[in-house]
Amino acid sequence: MAVPGMPIGSPGMEAPDGRRDPYDVLAFDKRGRTRVFAHHT
């Protein structure tokens, strides 16, 4: 799993003002294909 771009508000990227950008968590299969696993707003 991966969260491309390290968006503000994702785990480890918390903003001091509480701002959160929407982001997708991607899952990879054995062939390297990706799909959206979860969307956070």
mmCIF file of all heavy atoms in Angstrom:
data_model
loop_
_atom_site.group_PDB
_atom_site.id
_atom_site.type_symbol
_atom_site.label_atom_id
_atom_site.label_comp_id
_atom_site.label_asym_id
_atom_site.label_seq_id
_atom_site.Cartn_x
_atom_site.Cartn_y
_atom_site.Cartn_z
ATOM 1 N N MET A 1 0.842 -1.163 0.000
ATOM 2 C CA MET A 1 0.000 0.000 0.000
ATOM 3 C C MET A 1 0.891 1.231 0.000
ATOM 4 O O MET A 1 1.993 1.200 0.516
ATOM 5 C CB MET A 1 -0.905 0.009 1.216
ATOM 6 C CG MET A 1 -1.884 -1.114 1.216
ATOM 7 S SD MET A 1 -3.074 -0.849 2.487
ATOM 8 C CE MET A 1 -4.300 -1.948 1.894
ATOM 9 N N ALA A 2 0.351 2.303 -0.580
ATOM 10 C CA ALA A 2 1.110 3.545 -0.669
ATOM 11 C C ALA A 2 0.156 4.724 -0.727
ATOM 12 O O ALA A 2 -0.980 4.590 -1.164
ATOM 13 C CB ALA A 2 1.987 3.536 -1.915
ATOM 14 N N VAL A 3 0.663 5.869 -0.278
ATOM 15 C CA VAL A 3 -0.063 7.131 -0.403
ATOM 16 C C VAL A 3 0.860 8.071 -1.162
ATOM 17 O O VAL A 3 1.760 8.681 -0.584
ATOM 18 C CB VAL A 3 -0.443 7.713 0.976
ATOM 19 C CG1 VAL A 3 -1.123 9.066 0.822
ATOM 20 C CG2 VAL A 3 -1.325 6.744 1.734
ATOM 21 N N PRO A 4 0.684 8.188 -2.497
ATOM 22 C CA PRO A 4 1.566 9.033 -3.298
ATOM 23 C C PRO A 4 1.483 10.504 -2.916
ATOM 24 O O PRO A 4 0.407 11.012 -2.605
ATOM 25 C CB PRO A 4 1.058 8.823 -4.724
ATOM 26 C CG PRO A 4 0.224 7.597 -4.697
ATOM 27 C CD PRO A 4 -0.306 7.491 -3.302
ATOM 28 N N GLY A 5 2.620 11.175 -2.939
ATOM 29 C CA GLY A 5 2.664 12.614 -2.769
ATOM 30 C C GLY A 5 2.690 13.121 -1.339
ATOM 31 O O GLY A 5 2.805 14.314 -1.115
ATOM 32 N N MET A 6 2.594 12.260 -0.347
ATOM 33 C CA MET A 6 2.622 12.658 1.057
ATOM 34 C C MET A 6 1.692 13.849 1.329
ATOM 35 O O MET A 6 2.126 14.914 1.752
ATOM 36 C CB MET A 6 4.055 12.973 1.476
ATOM 37 C CG MET A 6 4.964 11.762 1.380
ATOM 38 S SD MET A 6 6.716 12.077 1.638
ATOM 39 C CE MET A 6 6.752 12.949 3.162
ATOM 40 N N PRO A 7 0.384 13.704 1.088
ATOM 41 C CA PRO A 7 -0.544 14.823 1.269
ATOM 42 C C PRO A 7 -0.662 15.273 2.733
ATOM 43 O O PRO A 7 -0.506 14.464 3.647
ATOM 44 C CB PRO A 7 -1.877 14.283 0.767
ATOM 45 C CG PRO A 7 -1.751 12.799 0.857
ATOM 46 C CD PRO A 7 -0.305 12.480 0.677
ATOM 47 N N ILE A 8 -0.948 16.552 2.918
ATOM 48 C CA ILE A 8 -1.145 17.102 4.259
ATOM 49 C C ILE A 8 -2.320 16.387 4.924
ATOM 50 O O ILE A 8 -3.376 16.229 4.329
ATOM 51 C CB ILE A 8 -1.431 18.617 4.188
ATOM 52 C CG1 ILE A 8 -0.274 19.358 3.535
ATOM 53 C CG2 ILE A 8 -1.736 19.189 5.576
ATOM 54 C CD1 ILE A 8 1.018 19.308 4.308
ATOM 55 N N GLY A 9 -2.115 15.921 6.136
ATOM 56 C CA GLY A 9 -3.160 15.244 6.894
ATOM 57 C C GLY A 9 -3.060 13.730 6.863
ATOM 58 O O GLY A 9 -3.729 13.051 7.624
ATOM 59 N N SER A 10 -2.224 13.185 5.968
ATOM 60 C CA SER A 10 -2.033 11.737 5.968
ATOM 61 C C SER A 10 -1.147 11.367 7.166
ATOM 62 O O SER A 10 -0.476 12.234 7.733
ATOM 63 C CB SER A 10 -1.404 11.275 4.647
ATOM 64 O OG SER A 10 -0.127 11.847 4.455
ATOM 65 N N PRO A 11 -1.150 10.107 7.600
ATOM 66 C CA PRO A 11 -0.349 9.720 8.765
ATOM 67 C C PRO A 11 1.113 10.133 8.607
ATOM 68 O O PRO A 11 1.748 9.878 7.583
ATOM 69 C CB PRO A 11 -0.492 8.192 8.800
ATOM 70 C CG PRO A 11 -1.819 7.945 8.159
ATOM 71 C CD PRO A 11 -1.918 8.986 7.063
ATOM 72 N N GLY A 12 1.624 10.835 9.596
ATOM 73 C CA GLY A 12 2.998 11.318 9.578
ATOM 74 C C GLY A 12 3.152 12.679 8.921
ATOM 75 O O GLY A 12 4.224 13.264 8.963
ATOM 76 N N MET A 13 2.086 13.182 8.317
ATOM 77 C CA MET A 13 2.146 14.483 7.634
ATOM 78 C C MET A 13 1.095 15.446 8.209
ATOM 79 O O MET A 13 0.533 16.265 7.498
ATOM 80 C CB MET A 13 1.914 14.295 6.129
ATOM 81 C CG MET A 13 2.989 13.502 5.429
ATOM 82 S SD MET A 13 4.620 14.285 5.542
ATOM 83 C CE MET A 13 4.352 15.770 4.622
ATOM 84 N N GLU A 14 0.833 15.350 9.501
ATOM 85 C CA GLU A 14 -0.157 16.200 10.131
ATOM 86 C C GLU A 14 0.294 17.661 10.093
ATOM 87 O O GLU A 14 1.468 17.965 10.260
ATOM 88 C CB GLU A 14 -0.384 15.774 11.591
ATOM 89 C CG GLU A 14 -1.009 14.400 11.743
ATOM 90 C CD GLU A 14 -0.009 13.255 11.667
ATOM 91 O OE1 GLU A 14 1.209 13.508 11.585
ATOM 92 O OE2 GLU A 14 -0.445 12.104 11.687
ATOM 93 N N ALA A 15 -0.652 18.565 9.866
ATOM 94 C CA ALA A 15 -0.370 19.995 9.834
ATOM 95 C C ALA A 15 -0.680 20.595 11.203
ATOM 96 O O ALA A 15 -1.655 20.195 11.844
ATOM 97 C CB ALA A 15 -1.216 20.671 8.760
ATOM 98 N N PRO A 16 0.122 21.556 11.666
ATOM 99 C CA PRO A 16 -0.134 22.163 12.969
ATOM 100 C C PRO A 16 -1.494 22.864 13.040
ATOM 101 O O PRO A 16 -2.083 22.962 14.103
ATOM 102 C CB PRO A 16 0.998 23.166 13.161
ATOM 103 C CG PRO A 16 1.865 23.075 11.972
ATOM 104 C CD PRO A 16 1.298 22.071 11.030
ATOM 105 N N ASP A 17 -1.999 23.325 11.885
ATOM 106 C CA ASP A 17 -3.287 24.021 11.882
ATOM 107 C C ASP A 17 -4.463 23.066 11.671
ATOM 108 O O ASP A 17 -5.607 23.491 11.587
ATOM 109 C CB ASP A 17 -3.312 25.114 10.820
ATOM 110 C CG ASP A 17 -3.145 24.592 9.395
ATOM 111 O OD1 ASP A 17 -3.038 23.354 9.207
ATOM 112 O OD2 ASP A 17 -3.120 25.413 8.475
ATOM 113 N N GLY A 18 -4.199 21.752 11.565
ATOM 114 C CA GLY A 18 -5.252 20.760 11.411
ATOM 115 C C GLY A 18 -5.746 20.578 9.979
ATOM 116 O O GLY A 18 -6.683 19.832 9.742
ATOM 117 N N ARG A 19 -5.116 21.245 9.017
ATOM 118 C CA ARG A 19 -5.529 21.122 7.617
ATOM 119 C C ARG A 19 -5.348 19.692 7.133
ATOM 120 O O ARG A 19 -4.411 19.003 7.510
ATOM 121 C CB ARG A 19 -4.691 22.069 6.750
ATOM 122 C CG ARG A 19 -5.167 22.122 5.318
ATOM 123 C CD ARG A 19 -4.340 23.099 4.518
ATOM 124 N NE ARG A 19 -3.669 22.321 3.504
ATOM 125 C CZ ARG A 19 -2.456 22.533 3.040
ATOM 126 N NH1 ARG A 19 -1.735 23.520 3.521
ATOM 127 N NH2 ARG A 19 -1.947 21.778 2.111
ATOM 128 N N ARG A 20 -6.290 19.242 6.301
ATOM 129 C CA ARG A 20 -6.222 17.892 5.730
ATOM 130 C C ARG A 20 -6.593 17.965 4.259
ATOM 131 O O ARG A 20 -7.644 18.472 3.918
ATOM 132 C CB ARG A 20 -7.185 16.962 6.446
ATOM 133 C CG ARG A 20 -6.871 16.787 7.922
ATOM 134 C CD ARG A 20 -7.856 15.858 8.561
ATOM 135 N NE ARG A 20 -7.726 14.540 7.964
ATOM 136 C CZ ARG A 20 -7.281 13.470 8.584
ATOM 137 N NH1 ARG A 20 -6.961 13.553 9.840
ATOM 138 N NH2 ARG A 20 -7.184 12.321 7.973
ATOM 139 N N ASP A 21 -5.741 17.455 3.390
ATOM 140 C CA ASP A 21 -6.040 17.347 1.971
ATOM 141 C C ASP A 21 -6.631 15.971 1.691
ATOM 142 O O ASP A 21 -6.238 14.992 2.337
ATOM 143 C CB ASP A 21 -4.775 17.514 1.132
ATOM 144 C CG ASP A 21 -4.195 18.921 1.195
ATOM 145 O OD1 ASP A 21 -4.942 19.854 1.575
ATOM 146 O OD2 ASP A 21 -3.012 19.087 0.862
ATOM 147 N N PRO A 22 -7.567 15.855 0.749
ATOM 148 C CA PRO A 22 -8.072 14.528 0.385
ATOM 149 C C PRO A 22 -6.961 13.704 -0.271
ATOM 150 O O PRO A 22 -6.079 14.258 -0.933
ATOM 151 C CB PRO A 22 -9.201 14.825 -0.600
ATOM 152 C CG PRO A 22 -8.932 16.187 -1.104
ATOM 153 C CD PRO A 22 -8.164 16.914 -0.048
ATOM 154 N N TYR A 23 -7.003 12.389 -0.067
ATOM 155 C CA TYR A 23 -6.000 11.528 -0.690
ATOM 156 C C TYR A 23 -6.517 10.107 -0.839
ATOM 157 O O TYR A 23 -7.449 9.699 -0.161
ATOM 158 C CB TYR A 23 -4.683 11.529 0.095
ATOM 159 C CG TYR A 23 -4.775 10.996 1.503
ATOM 160 C CD1 TYR A 23 -4.518 9.647 1.773
ATOM 161 C CD2 TYR A 23 -5.101 11.821 2.567
ATOM 162 C CE1 TYR A 23 -4.582 9.151 3.061
ATOM 163 C CE2 TYR A 23 -5.169 11.331 3.866
ATOM 164 C CZ TYR A 23 -4.910 10.004 4.102
ATOM 165 O OH TYR A 23 -4.975 9.521 5.388
ATOM 166 N N ASP A 24 -5.898 9.382 -1.775
ATOM 167 C CA ASP A 24 -6.215 7.978 -2.006
ATOM 168 C C ASP A 24 -5.089 7.113 -1.474
ATOM 169 O O ASP A 24 -3.914 7.457 -1.594
ATOM 170 C CB ASP A 24 -6.378 7.681 -3.502
ATOM 171 C CG ASP A 24 -7.611 8.334 -4.092
ATOM 172 O OD1 ASP A 24 -8.593 8.532 -3.359
ATOM 173 O OD2 ASP A 24 -7.586 8.638 -5.294
ATOM 174 N N VAL A 25 -5.457 5.974 -0.905
ATOM 175 C CA VAL A 25 -4.486 4.941 -0.527
ATOM 176 C C VAL A 25 -4.535 3.907 -1.646
ATOM 177 O O VAL A 25 -5.604 3.419 -2.004
ATOM 178 C CB VAL A 25 -4.863 4.284 0.816
ATOM 179 C CG1 VAL A 25 -3.884 3.156 1.149
ATOM 180 C CG2 VAL A 25 -4.898 5.317 1.927
ATOM 181 N N LEU A 26 -3.375 3.599 -2.231
ATOM 182 C CA LEU A 26 -3.308 2.649 -3.333
ATOM 183 C C LEU A 26 -2.818 1.294 -2.851
ATOM 184 O O LEU A 26 -1.939 1.205 -1.997
ATOM 185 C CB LEU A 26 -2.353 3.159 -4.412
ATOM 186 C CG LEU A 26 -2.680 4.528 -5.005
ATOM 187 C CD1 LEU A 26 -1.646 4.897 -6.067
ATOM 188 C CD2 LEU A 26 -4.071 4.563 -5.579
ATOM 189 N N ALA A 27 -3.389 0.236 -3.419
ATOM 190 C CA ALA A 27 -2.953 -1.133 -3.147
ATOM 191 C C ALA A 27 -2.321 -1.694 -4.416
ATOM 192 O O ALA A 27 -2.741 -1.358 -5.524
ATOM 193 C CB ALA A 27 -4.138 -1.992 -2.734
ATOM 194 N N PHE A 28 -1.313 -2.522 -4.257
ATOM 195 C CA PHE A 28 -0.605 -3.144 -5.371
ATOM 196 C C PHE A 28 -0.876 -4.641 -5.376
ATOM 197 O O PHE A 28 -0.908 -5.272 -4.322
ATOM 198 C CB PHE A 28 0.913 -2.955 -5.221
ATOM 199 C CG PHE A 28 1.346 -1.524 -5.239
ATOM 200 C CD1 PHE A 28 1.322 -0.760 -4.090
ATOM 201 C CD2 PHE A 28 1.782 -0.939 -6.412
ATOM 202 C CE1 PHE A 28 1.723 0.563 -4.092
ATOM 203 C CE2 PHE A 28 2.188 0.376 -6.437
ATOM 204 C CZ PHE A 28 2.155 1.128 -5.273
ATOM 205 N N ASP A 29 -1.033 -5.237 -6.577
ATOM 206 C CA ASP A 29 -1.150 -6.690 -6.643
ATOM 207 C C ASP A 29 0.200 -7.287 -7.037
ATOM 208 O O ASP A 29 1.181 -6.565 -7.215
ATOM 209 C CB ASP A 29 -2.291 -7.130 -7.574
ATOM 210 C CG ASP A 29 -2.038 -6.841 -9.050
ATOM 211 O OD1 ASP A 29 -0.880 -6.525 -9.440
ATOM 212 O OD2 ASP A 29 -2.992 -6.935 -9.828
ATOM 213 N N LYS A 30 0.264 -8.594 -7.169
ATOM 214 C CA LYS A 30 1.530 -9.283 -7.474
ATOM 215 C C LYS A 30 2.113 -8.894 -8.828
ATOM 216 O O LYS A 30 3.308 -9.039 -9.052
ATOM 217 C CB LYS A 30 1.329 -10.796 -7.419
ATOM 218 C CG LYS A 30 1.074 -11.294 -6.023
ATOM 219 C CD LYS A 30 0.869 -12.793 -6.008
ATOM 220 C CE LYS A 30 0.578 -13.270 -4.608
ATOM 221 N NZ LYS A 30 0.372 -14.714 -4.544
ATOM 222 N N ARG A 31 1.279 -8.417 -9.739
ATOM 223 C CA ARG A 31 1.757 -8.007 -11.066
ATOM 224 C C ARG A 31 2.143 -6.532 -11.118
ATOM 225 O O ARG A 31 2.519 -6.027 -12.158
ATOM 226 C CB ARG A 31 0.685 -8.291 -12.106
ATOM 227 C CG ARG A 31 0.434 -9.761 -12.284
ATOM 228 C CD ARG A 31 -0.559 -10.003 -13.367
ATOM 229 N NE ARG A 31 -0.747 -11.432 -13.556
ATOM 230 C CZ ARG A 31 -1.688 -11.956 -14.286
ATOM 231 N NH1 ARG A 31 -2.538 -11.177 -14.933
ATOM 232 N NH2 ARG A 31 -1.797 -13.254 -14.398
ATOM 233 N N GLY A 32 2.030 -5.825 -10.005
ATOM 234 C CA GLY A 32 2.404 -4.421 -9.954
ATOM 235 C C GLY A 32 1.287 -3.466 -10.347
ATOM 236 O O GLY A 32 1.509 -2.266 -10.438
ATOM 237 N N ARG A 33 0.094 -4.011 -10.577
ATOM 238 C CA ARG A 33 -1.044 -3.147 -10.892
ATOM 239 C C ARG A 33 -1.545 -2.487 -9.613
ATOM 240 O O ARG A 33 -1.396 -3.056 -8.529
ATOM 241 C CB ARG A 33 -2.165 -3.946 -11.542
ATOM 242 C CG ARG A 33 -1.777 -4.527 -12.896
ATOM 243 C CD ARG A 33 -2.865 -5.396 -13.447
ATOM 244 N NE ARG A 33 -3.030 -6.550 -12.556
ATOM 245 C CZ ARG A 33 -3.717 -7.637 -12.851
ATOM 246 N NH1 ARG A 33 -4.351 -7.737 -14.006
ATOM 247 N NH2 ARG A 33 -3.811 -8.637 -12.004
ATOM 248 N N THR A 34 -2.119 -1.307 -9.755
ATOM 249 C CA THR A 34 -2.629 -0.596 -8.590
ATOM 250 C C THR A 34 -4.138 -0.422 -8.684
ATOM 251 O O THR A 34 -4.718 -0.463 -9.761
ATOM 252 C CB THR A 34 -1.993 0.795 -8.458
ATOM 253 O OG1 THR A 34 -2.298 1.565 -9.612
ATOM 254 C CG2 THR A 34 -0.492 0.708 -8.273
ATOM 255 N N ARG A 35 -4.736 -0.230 -7.499
ATOM 256 C CA ARG A 35 -6.153 0.111 -7.406
ATOM 257 C C ARG A 35 -6.319 0.972 -6.175
ATOM 258 O O ARG A 35 -5.495 0.923 -5.239
ATOM 259 C CB ARG A 35 -7.041 -1.121 -7.321
ATOM 260 C CG ARG A 35 -6.882 -1.908 -6.040
ATOM 261 C CD ARG A 35 -7.853 -3.089 -5.962
ATOM 262 N NE ARG A 35 -7.639 -3.874 -4.782
ATOM 263 C CZ ARG A 35 -8.213 -3.650 -3.594
ATOM 264 N NH1 ARG A 35 -9.040 -2.653 -3.449
ATOM 265 N NH2 ARG A 35 -7.953 -4.427 -2.567
ATOM 266 N N VAL A 36 -7.371 1.783 -6.150
ATOM 267 C CA VAL A 36 -7.635 2.609 -4.983
ATOM 268 C C VAL A 36 -8.200 1.691 -3.894
ATOM 269 O O VAL A 36 -9.224 1.038 -4.088
ATOM 270 C CB VAL A 36 -8.614 3.756 -5.315
ATOM 271 C CG1 VAL A 36 -8.980 4.516 -4.043
ATOM 272 C CG2 VAL A 36 -8.000 4.697 -6.335
ATOM 273 N N PHE A 37 -7.513 1.636 -2.777
ATOM 274 C CA PHE A 37 -7.925 0.821 -1.641
ATOM 275 C C PHE A 37 -8.885 1.608 -0.746
ATOM 276 O O PHE A 37 -9.841 1.074 -0.223
ATOM 277 C CB PHE A 37 -6.687 0.373 -0.856
ATOM 278 C CG PHE A 37 -6.995 -0.432 0.357
ATOM 279 C CD1 PHE A 37 -7.318 -1.773 0.248
ATOM 280 C CD2 PHE A 37 -6.952 0.136 1.621
ATOM 281 C CE1 PHE A 37 -7.596 -2.521 1.379
ATOM 282 C CE2 PHE A 37 -7.235 -0.601 2.754
ATOM 283 C CZ PHE A 37 -7.568 -1.939 2.624
ATOM 284 N N ALA A 38 -8.579 2.905 -0.545
ATOM 285 C CA ALA A 38 -9.420 3.754 0.303
ATOM 286 C C ALA A 38 -9.249 5.203 -0.132
ATOM 287 O O ALA A 38 -8.191 5.594 -0.624
ATOM 288 C CB ALA A 38 -9.024 3.606 1.771
ATOM 289 N N HIS A 39 -10.293 5.991 0.034
ATOM 290 C CA HIS A 39 -10.247 7.424 -0.255
ATOM 291 C C HIS A 39 -10.563 8.158 1.031
ATOM 292 O O HIS A 39 -11.539 7.850 1.709
ATOM 293 C CB HIS A 39 -11.268 7.802 -1.345
ATOM 294 C CG HIS A 39 -11.244 9.260 -1.645
ATOM 295 N ND1 HIS A 39 -10.258 9.842 -2.395
ATOM 296 C CD2 HIS A 39 -12.094 10.248 -1.280
ATOM 297 C CE1 HIS A 39 -10.502 11.132 -2.485
ATOM 298 N NE2 HIS A 39 -11.608 11.401 -1.812
ATOM 299 N N HIS A 40 -9.720 9.124 1.402
ATOM 300 C CA HIS A 40 -9.917 9.909 2.617
ATOM 301 C C HIS A 40 -10.153 11.365 2.230
ATOM 302 O O HIS A 40 -9.425 11.921 1.430
ATOM 303 C CB HIS A 40 -8.690 9.817 3.527
ATOM 304 C CG HIS A 40 -8.449 8.431 4.017
ATOM 305 N ND1 HIS A 40 -9.019 7.955 5.175
ATOM 306 C CD2 HIS A 40 -7.723 7.404 3.500
ATOM 307 C CE1 HIS A 40 -8.634 6.697 5.352
ATOM 308 N NE2 HIS A 40 -7.863 6.349 4.357
ATOM 309 N N THR A 41 -11.210 11.947 2.809
ATOM 310 C CA THR A 41 -11.521 13.345 2.507
ATOM 311 C C THR A 41 -11.220 14.232 3.687
ATOM 312 O O THR A 41 -11.024 13.802 4.779
ATOM 313 C CB THR A 41 -12.999 13.511 2.127
ATOM 314 O OG1 THR A 41 -13.813 12.943 3.138
ATOM 315 C CG2 THR A 41 -13.280 12.835 0.810
#
